[in-house]
Amino acid sequence: MSPLRPRPSPLLAPLGRAWLAVAAARNAAYDRGWLQAHDAGVPVVSVGNLTAGGTGKTPFVAWLAGELRRAGRTVAIVSRGHGGAPPAPVVVVEHDPARPGHAARVAGDEPAMLA
């Protein structure tokens, strides 16, 4: 095994198998029509993974949004946000130079930065 690639943990292997079983069951539920997918009506790009942080998702989203804008596309970013105190379950964050810091206090630092 390469020294740059970590060895799989035998303690985590059962969790990995359980996760695969859950994912397979969920996919089968969609295939059989038990769960229903919804068409967003617009192209959607999902950026994410199971890693909590530090993998470069936010900088990648910022770069991708910039590239799409330069290509003439309208871009909207959906983010859970962390550290904010939203007044409602869904908050639309827009850049407002007149109120610096407001978006971060409401929605969290990453959505504010991406706005």
Side-chain angles (χ1 to χ4, degrees):
M1 182 164 287
S2 165
L4 299 177
R5 189 170 181 185
R7 288 187 202 168
S9 168
L11 296 174
L12 295 178
L15 292 175
R17 285 191 292 276
W19 181 263
L20 287 174
V22 169
R26 185 172 185 265
N27 288 341
Y30 277 107
D31 292 344
R32 289 180 174 84
W34 300 338
L35 293 177
Q36 187 177 9
H38 300 279
D39 186 346
V42 294
V44 174
V45 177
S46 177
V47 177
N49 56 29
L50 296 176
T51 303
T55 59
K57 294 182 294 288
T58 301
F60 177 75
V61 168
W63 172 83
L64 182 60
E67 291 298 307
L68 290 169
R69 283 189 188 107
R70 277 188 277 290
R73 305 291 240 163
T74 300
V75 176
I77 299 171
V78 178
S79 172
R80 269 191 336 191
H82 297 284
V90 176
V91 176
V92 176
V93 179
E94 297 183 60
H95 177 66
D96 185 356
R99 299 187 329 171
H102 173 73
R105 285 189 297 277
V106 172
D109 58 349
E110 286 183 4
M113 181 194 73
L114 291 169

